[in-house]
Amino acid sequence: MPTPSPVISLVIPIFNESSDISQNLQTILSAAYCGEDMPIEIIAVDDGSTDNTVEKIAALARNDSRIHLIELTRNFGKEAAIHAGLKAAEGKAVIILDADLQHPPELIPQMVKLWSSGVLVVEAIKADRGREPIASKVFSYIFYALFHFFTHLNIRGLCDFKLLDRHVVNTYLAFPENQRFFRGLIDWSGYPSARIPFKVALRKGTGGSRWSRFRLLCYAIDNITALSSLPLRIVSWTGAFSLALGLIIGILSLWQKWQGVALDGFTTINLLIVIIGGTVLMGLGIISHYLRRIYEEVKGRPSYLIKPKKNQGSNK
């Protein structure tokens, strides 16, 4: 009997989740069941795992035609894994969620119900971040505040746990850029959406977050500059401010000289050097960051590569 075409696709980026991946995928499939008229498929995207995650998913896929495995050639990052999964998904609606069950799959039937009523995007909102370290909460608050300031998009509490209508998926896939910020682009798109609050569950798997503070900082900078050119304008504003400050100090110096009030000027010169030098270097740093992004886009390399398919039974 042929497998019915999926109505709901679940895209799950995965990286080194071998300890719990088999149980977690089965839990997700069970919780996501929405009736026989809503067939489900899982697109499990392995983002270059170095453990035996792939073998475990492949074993599941051989016994369950709803599970399909995509292997990226190496670790390209979660954004690339989401992109690959969306491109492979065939459902009329696509749901993106994590493999560690921190995105509760029990919400999926509710998300599907909202989508069936005509909502194009259903977003899960973190109402409670759980036992997150204070430092992480502070970092998140600063990031969301800066992101809103620079992009005028409010993504506070949003995560990658979303349901997207096929029209939204096709629009997202049509975007030309390779360096993407999934949450930001979906919010930027402005499609009619509904939001469901949820409490972040304890992570099902070994270890904590694999993101260091430095990687998070770089990720935050990349995401802000991906959706805003305001930092470039700030360089111009800062340059104008430095020029105005220099003109004021220069006029004061000429006035004092004309009045015969002699100052050695050592402190003033040092102050000017620090202000102007710091401003120039900061401006060059911001400009070089945007040049790097332009360089990466102009090269035109794909954001991910997929391994050739093996004999994986029911896999696509």
Side-chain angles (χ1 to χ4, degrees):
M1 182 177 178
T3 303
S5 299
V7 175
I8 308 298
S9 297
L10 308 179
V11 171
I12 306 177
I14 300 168
F15 178 69
N16 288 348
E17 301 278 357
S18 63
S19 60
D20 293 276
I21 190 61
S22 298
Q23 179 181 350
N24 287 357
L25 288 183
Q26 291 172 343
T27 299
I28 290 171
L29 275 173
S30 176
Y33 180 74
C34 299
E36 294 184 0
D37 59 335
M38 292 282 185
I40 292 173
E41 69 169 353
I42 281 184
I43 308 296
V45 185
D46 179 74
D47 190 20
S49 295
T50 55
D51 56 12
N52 62 339
T53 295
V54 169
E55 288 77 9
K56 290 192 173 184
I57 299 175
L60 286 174
R62 284 192 291 268
N63 298 316
D64 194 330
S65 61
R66 297 173 296 176
I67 299 175
H68 310 287
L69 171 63
I70 295 177
E71 290 183 71
L72 304 189
T73 57
R74 63 172 177 83
N75 181 249
F76 286 92
K78 188 177 182 181
E79 297 290 340
I82 290 174
H83 190 187
L86 290 175
K87 195 167 185 179
E90 296 183 351
K92 296 179 181 178
V94 182
I95 299 173
I96 300 89
L97 72 161
D98 289 347
D100 56 13
L101 302 185
Q102 285 197 304
H103 295 161
E106 295 80 13
L107 292 181
I108 290 176
Q110 186 178 352
M111 299 172 85
V112 172
K113 185 177 181 181
L114 287 169
W115 168 69
S116 299
S117 69
V119 180
L120 295 182
V121 178
V122 182
E123 302 178 301
I125 303 294
K126 295 178 182 178
D128 186 348
R129 301 184 68 92
R131 297 179 181 178
E132 190 177 28
I134 294 178
S136 297
K137 291 183 179 180
V138 171
F139 185 89
S140 297
Y141 178 84
I142 294 173
F143 166 69
Y144 289 128
L146 289 175
F147 190 88
H148 184 258
F149 173 77
F150 284 112
T151 67
H152 304 294
L153 299 174
N154 184 10
I155 62 170
R156 186 180 302 278
L158 295 181
C159 61
D160 295 327
F161 188 19
K162 301 179 186 297
L163 179 149
L164 307 179
D165 182 79
R166 170 52 57 183
H167 176 81
V168 180
V169 172
N170 291 339
T171 300
Y172 180 83
L173 293 175
F175 290 154
E177 64 259 43
N178 286 324
Q179 301 178 73
R180 298 170 180 239
F181 180 35
F182 175 70
R183 274 179 283 168
L185 283 174
I186 295 301
D187 193 64
W188 173 88
S189 299
Y191 286 105
S193 64
R195 295 184 172 185
I196 302 174
F198 75 97
K199 180 179 180 180
V200 179
L202 293 176
R203 188 176 189 274
K204 300 294 184 182
T206 57
S209 174
R210 301 183 180 95
W211 288 75
S212 65
R213 291 283 183 268
F214 179 74
R215 284 188 66 194
L216 283 172
L217 177 61
C218 293
Y219 183 67
I221 293 173
D222 283 343
N223 291 337
I224 289 173
T225 54
L227 289 162
S228 174
S229 61
L230 182 59
L232 286 173
R233 282 178 280 170
I234 290 178
V235 172
S236 300
W237 300 340
T238 307
F241 174 78
S242 298
L243 177 61
L245 182 62
L247 286 173
I248 292 172
I249 293 176
I251 291 171
L252 288 175
S253 299
L254 290 173
W255 174 259
Q256 290 170 346
K257 186 175 180 65
W258 184 70
Q259 292 290 326
V261 180
L263 294 175
D264 55 18
F266 183 76
T267 303
T268 303
I269 291 174
N270 282 343
L271 182 62
L272 283 173
I273 290 174
V274 169
I275 292 175
I276 297 175
T279 300
V280 170
L281 290 175
M282 183 188 71
L284 288 175
I286 294 174
I287 293 171
S288 65
H289 177 81
Y290 277 94
L291 286 175
R292 178 187 67 81
R293 295 190 65 89
I294 294 172
Y295 170 70
E296 294 294 336
E297 291 291 342
V298 167
K299 284 191 297 186
R301 291 178 185 170
S303 57
Y304 61 87
L305 295 173
I306 298 176
K307 287 184 179 180
K309 294 185 181 298
K310 302 175 184 177
N311 183 18
Q312 296 171 339
S314 62
N315 286 4
K316 290 182 178 178

